[in-house]
Amino acid sequence: MTASLQPVLIRGHEVVIGLETHAQLSTNSKIFSGAATAFGAAPNTQACAVDLALPGTLPVMNRGAVERAIRFGLAVGSSVASQSIFARKNYFYPDLPKGYQISQYEVPVVQGGQVDFLLGDQKRSVRLTRAHLEEDAGKSLHEDYHGQTGIDLNRAGTPLLEIVTEPDMRSAAEAVEYAKALHALVVWLGICDGNMQEGSFRCDANVSVRKPGMPLGTRREIKNLNSFRFLQQAIDFEVQWQIDRLEDGLAIEQATVLFNPDTGETRAMRSKEDAHDYRYFPDPDLPPLVIGADWIERVRGRDARVAGAHGRALPARRRPAGL
Ligand code: ADP
Ligand code: MG
């Protein structure tokens, strides 16, 4: 575990990282509608009335998405909640026609667990806080438009599993190895195609620094990193930026930042919202998600058979520990 190791110091500071990963689940249809999820279709050809948020439409949960969340929970030693709740996360954005995203907030479907991997020849283990089901938003299109923005709602309602870690990682290299292990795991489980260029697996990196022995510092969150190299570069830049500021006697303000691959720099996008800004509340259109022990056992049984048949499918180097 992290605590037993000597921290690697950068200019006298310890680095602290927690990752939030969005894995797009490999279902054929969306999380709350029957529209297709295939990538690359002409804009707005895969958005049905539910995805467009037309009045009177209602969401219906996709069983396949829940099953993939269960499969993930079992693989990382989590507890799969017998009852979890969908909540509305309210915000305004043109690619979010409902005005809210359906997510899980207080009671997620997957709770706890851990991901084990190697960092060089050291065994490491990162604790998971949770993994919850949610829908993706649409996309704003800026290219090909002059003075205007296009909206493509094909991605609206695509199923995501958001996997959140504890702030357990202590270097960019460790965050990259964790992300690679998680990527190998979700692909091996068959719950995500892992295509990072198409956005099927993307990470938000929460980064702070502190003097050894001090309480956690204020974090900044780098959004939407869709390659392991960008993850490494973004954290490296962010750590130096934060230490520069602290050495100048300035405070770090909690913020959401973007990484620019062309310059290798991170830049503040907005001051960070807190949960209360989103006015979360249970979605009255969806009943609690109830998962009986029999369903979990069916998924476990099927996966045991698959693991038996394809135990050597994943190269040993990539094989997630414990599988
Ligand atoms: P949100 O980003 O939605 O506000 P949380 O507060 O739960 O959610 O934190 C999100 C992520 O930030 C988690 O992965 C957590 O481990 C990480 N995190 C929290 N505090 C720190 C910190 N001081 N330094 C680095 N990472 C942190
Ligand atoms: Mg976050």
Side-chain angles (χ1 to χ4, degrees):
M1 289 288 288
T2 322
S4 63
L5 289 156
Q6 285 294 327
V8 183
L9 296 188
I10 295 186
R11 294 161 62 193
H13 290 77
E14 185 184 19
V15 175
V16 175
I17 303 162
L19 288 189
E20 295 165 274
T21 304
H22 287 95
Q24 182 179 318
L25 298 173
S26 55
T27 54
N28 292 325
S29 59
K30 293 188 178 173
I31 185 165
F32 300 120
S33 84
T37 53
F39 182 84
N44 299 309
T45 55
Q46 289 178 175
C48 70
V50 173
D51 309 322
L52 296 172
L54 298 189
T57 56
L58 288 170
V60 178
M61 184 73 222
N62 180 334
R63 230 184 136 74
V66 178
E67 200 148 303
R68 284 163 177 77
I70 297 173
R71 207 179 294 164
F72 177 78
L74 292 175
V76 293
S78 307
S79 119
V80 176
S82 56
Q83 187 164 319
S84 61
I85 306 291
F86 286 100
R88 292 186 180 180
K89 180 179 182 180
N90 298 281
Y91 63 93
F92 173 79
Y93 207 72
D95 64 18
L96 188 74
K98 289 199 298 297
Y100 59 86
Q101 176 192 26
I102 304 177
S103 182
Q104 296 192 304
Y105 180 52
E106 280 164 322
V107 192
V109 59
V110 169
Q111 303 172 7
Q114 65 181 53
V115 174
D116 300 329
F117 56 94
L118 287 175
L119 178 61
D121 54 8
Q122 275 176 350
K123 272 185 127 171
R124 305 306 294 254
S125 183
V126 167
R127 291 168 299 159
L128 300 182
T129 315
R130 59 191 275 154
H132 62 258
L133 285 162
E134 64 181 25
E135 60 178 346
D136 209 343
K139 245 187 221 165
S140 300
L141 307 173
H142 303 291
E143 285 164 32
D144 305 332
Y145 291 87
H146 301 285
Q148 291 179 315
T149 297
I151 301 292
D152 176 7
L153 293 174
N154 283 354
R155 201 178 64 183
T158 297
L160 301 176
L161 188 66
E162 177 171 341
I163 303 154
V164 183
T165 76
E166 293 292 308
D168 279 355
M169 288 155 277
R170 292 292 175 271
S171 66
E174 186 175 14
V176 168
E177 287 310 316
Y178 159 79
K180 285 183 175 173
L182 183 66
H183 181 266
L185 175 62
V186 295
V187 171
W188 188 81
L189 288 170
I191 65 170
C192 171
D193 71 17
N195 189 325
M196 296 180 78
Q197 257 157 11
E198 292 178 0
S200 299
F201 186 94
R202 46 193 203 260
C203 298
D204 301 340
N206 294 267
V207 180
S208 65
V209 298
R210 65 176 171 190
K211 287 278 173 62
M214 298 300 282
L216 286 181
T218 303
R219 71 187 150 113
R220 303 210 315 159
E221 177 175 358
I222 316 165
K223 296 300 278 189
N224 271 333
L225 298 161
N226 69 343
S227 91
F228 298 124
R229 190 162 55 92
F230 293 165
L231 180 61
Q232 169 94 39
Q233 289 175 345
I235 295 171
D236 284 342
F237 179 87
E238 182 62 27
V239 166
Q240 297 294 340
W241 186 90
Q242 290 188 15
I243 298 175
D244 284 347
R245 248 187 105 82
L246 293 174
E247 287 183 347
D248 286 346
L250 300 167
I252 306 294
E253 278 156 37
Q254 193 170 322
T256 301
V257 310
L258 286 182
F259 175 66
N260 180 344
D262 297 328
T263 61
E265 297 181 356
T266 53
R267 198 165 48 81
M269 176 165 81
R270 52 174 191 245
S271 66
K272 165 87 183 154
E273 304 82 359
D274 284 315
H276 64 250
D277 295 324
Y278 290 118
R279 295 291 190 272
Y280 280 100
F281 66 91
D283 191 326
D285 288 341
L286 285 157
L289 174 60
V290 174
I291 301 176
D294 51 335
W295 193 4
I296 297 179
E297 287 320 308
R298 273 203 308 281
V299 175
R300 196 196 302 276
R302 199 170 325 138
D303 285 353
R305 285 197 298 281
V306 171
H310 302 292
R312 275 183 290 277
L314 192 71
R317 192 171 53 83
R318 280 268 168 268
R319 189 190 305 267
L323 280 173

